Amino acid sequence: MPATRERTVIPVLVAGPGEPVFRRQPPLSLYVHIPWCVHKCPYCDFNSHALSAAGTMAAAPPTLPQEDYLAALIADLESALPLVWGRRVDSIFIGGGTPSLLSGEAVDELLAAVRSRMPLLPGAEITLEANPGTMESGKFAAFRAAGVNRLSLGIQSFNRQHLQALGRIHDELQARQAIMAAARHFDNLNLDLMYGLPGQDLEQALADIETALSFAPAHLSCYQLTIEAHTAFAASPPALPADDLCADMQDAIEARLAAAGYRHYETSAFAQPGRQCQHNLNYWHFGDYLGIGAGAHGKLTLHDRILRQMRWKRPDQYLAQVAAGTPVQYESAVAAADLPFEFMLNALRLIEGFDTTLFESRCALPLQHIQPQLLQAEREGLLARHGQRVAPTDRGRRFLNRLIERFLVDRD
């Protein structure tokens, strides 16, 4: 998600009670969802659907309806064009699921279809998520040739025992091999790691970080395993490290990555200087994104409202509904009263917070609208203001949910 370039105060107009007017649209990103995985990991609550119950694979299986799905994605994009006509796409993220199940030819056709229908920022960041268990060097080369310039590898851990506990289809050797193969084609590489894993101690968590650092990736995503509803882990929870130990892991990981020169710029994101994920930054800056694909979500700023959309979630449903010309399952405008909470839900994940002019432009509201909530969060030591910048304190970062809740609308 692209970082905002807005730094000037933007006049705020209000058409009527509760009716904001947006004078400038934020940067626009494109998210493409690929809903299939080899099998469903027990901790995953994303919209992903297993192609098989278990096992490993080296290439996309015959059961993946690649051609039909690609045609549906392109039709979905075309149906959305009236809402984004003339707007430039600043970044693309192909996520899942496991997008690396697609062939290089399919990714090439998809990106060519985007370029022919929407203006794309020259040199735009184009990310594809990949699973080490579905990769070989030839695919990396094909993805790069198609125009993908940033790869995100779902490593999670370099410890075999922990990978097995997470239900991953790759082992530690495949993880290392995938990183080395990817590095031959991508200099902008993200590694996803998790901590707080079943049976994990502090030394093991840091060992994963050290192994990751040995490859000098441009970007690291490090996040704590949590048990999400409607997952296999929720039905049968594993024994996880105590909260205090997880907090120690987080502190140690942040300190080690800082010492290695990585900037901690978002709750779980660390980057070498200048290598922040532009696509994700657009999310945190409350930018716009068009989402296509099964279950994809979108947020689009129109002149008088912010529109949220969700595509049909099940792949078979999505294919049928796109064919019928109705890819959007749910659509609603964000209530003006909810805009501050929605903005804070994103912007307060950033370590450096946000500029007050960003709030005014993205929400079409003056900062005074949330002055009582800001003052309350400051009194609680959750928030700090320095000039025009608002940022969570160390305490606010630790209790982020509590901080964000301060901006919820009391509908009573």
Side-chain angles (χ1 to χ4, degrees):
M1 315 162 198
T4 177
R5 297 173 181 82
E6 300 171 13
R7 285 294 179 267
T8 56
V9 175
I10 298 171
V12 176
L13 303 179
V14 178
E19 298 178 10
V21 172
F22 298 91
R23 298 192 62 188
R24 182 182 299 178
Q25 291 173 314
L28 175 67
S29 296
L30 174 65
Y31 176 77
V32 183
H33 192 73
I34 310 300
W36 292 283
C37 289
V38 175
H39 81 116
K40 183 84 170 180
C41 293
Y43 60 86
C44 179
D45 68 337
F46 293 160
N47 183 33
S48 60
H49 302 264
L51 290 167
S52 61
T56 61
M57 57 182 292
T63 52
L64 181 72
Q66 180 172 271
E67 291 184 7
D68 290 345
Y69 193 71
L70 182 60
L73 287 174
I74 295 171
D76 189 356
L77 177 63
E78 288 183 340
S79 73
L81 290 180
L83 285 174
V84 294
W85 198 256
R87 295 185 65 180
R88 185 185 72 184
V89 173
D90 282 16
S91 65
I92 299 174
F93 197 104
I94 306 172
T98 306
S100 54
L101 289 171
L102 295 176
S103 68
E105 292 78 12
V107 173
D108 185 43
E109 185 176 346
L110 170 64
L111 294 178
V114 173
R115 294 188 192 97
S116 67
R117 288 163 176 80
M118 300 182 73
L120 184 62
L121 175 70
E125 177 188 272
I126 302 176
T127 302
L128 183 138
E129 290 185 325
N131 185 331
T134 64
M135 291 313 305
E136 68 274 353
S137 184
K139 269 198 173 182
F140 286 134
F143 292 151
R144 187 68 185 91
V148 175
N149 53 29
R150 183 176 183 271
L151 198 76
S152 181
L153 277 174
I155 301 297
Q156 316 313 352
S157 177
F158 294 96
N159 181 298
R160 177 171 298 194
Q161 178 183 347
H162 296 150
L163 288 170
Q164 290 174 346
L166 291 172
R168 302 297 287 172
I169 65 170
H170 66 273
D171 59 27
E172 71 281 10
L173 178 59
Q174 288 173 308
R176 294 170 184 267
Q177 290 173 335
I179 296 170
M180 290 186 289
R184 289 196 286 270
H185 303 284
F186 296 91
D187 68 346
N188 197 355
L189 183 63
N190 171 65
L191 304 182
D192 264 352
L193 295 174
M194 300 174 73
Y195 64 91
L197 308 180
Q200 189 180 46
D201 59 29
L202 178 59
E203 183 179 348
Q204 291 170 328
L206 283 175
D208 279 343
I209 298 299
E210 292 299 335
T211 302
L213 287 175
S214 71
F215 296 102
H219 193 283
L220 283 165
S221 299
C222 302
Y223 48 97
Q224 182 180 340
L225 173 64
T226 55
I227 305 300
E228 304 291 347
H230 311 300
T231 64
F233 272 179
S236 181
L240 300 181
D243 290 344
D244 287 346
L245 176 53
C246 288
D248 289 343
M249 290 179 184
Q250 181 179 350
D251 289 341
I253 288 169
E254 291 177 4
R256 179 66 188 96
L257 292 178
Y262 285 77
R263 178 185 172 193
H264 187 190
Y265 70 97
E266 186 269 336
T267 300
S268 58
F270 305 79
Q272 292 178 347
R275 308 308 290 272
Q276 296 92 332
C277 177
Q278 296 304 300
H279 187 90
N280 286 340
L281 275 175
N282 193 37
Y283 288 153
W284 312 139
H285 285 127
F286 208 44
D288 279 359
Y289 49 98
L290 172 63
I292 61 172
H297 289 251
K299 168 194 171 280
L300 299 172
T301 302
L302 308 181
H303 78 282
D304 61 346
R305 66 193 184 279
I306 289 178
L307 188 68
R308 289 203 177 274
Q309 295 182 324
M310 186 187 79
R311 267 54 181 174
W312 292 88
K313 190 172 183 179
R314 286 208 331 259
D316 57 342
Q317 265 188 329
Y318 174 74
L319 290 170
Q321 293 292 334
V322 171
T326 53
V328 177
Q329 179 179 9
Y330 176 78
E331 182 177 283
S332 68
V334 180
D338 292 331
L339 287 172
F341 172 75
E342 295 243 358
F343 177 89
M344 295 298 180
L345 187 65
N346 291 278
L348 290 178
R349 291 182 63 92
L350 293 169
I351 305 303
E352 294 184 355
F354 61 92
D355 192 287
T356 56
T357 59
L358 185 70
F359 172 84
E360 292 169 345
S361 65
R362 295 291 194 263
C363 297
L365 293 167
L367 192 69
Q368 288 79 2
H369 186 83
I370 56 168
Q371 195 70 8
Q373 296 96 316
L374 292 173
L375 290 172
Q376 179 63 29
E378 282 187 284
R379 283 193 292 266
E380 295 178 22
L382 300 171
L383 204 64
R385 285 192 275 184
H386 305 283
Q388 286 190 296
R389 182 150 294 276
V390 178
T393 61
D394 287 344
R395 175 178 170 80
R397 286 176 48 220
R398 293 296 186 202
F399 299 97
L400 186 58
N401 287 341
R402 183 188 302 177
L403 170 56
I404 293 170
E405 285 170 1
R406 297 294 172 267
F407 300 93
L408 272 171
V409 176
D410 185 356
R411 299 198 181 279
D412 295 334

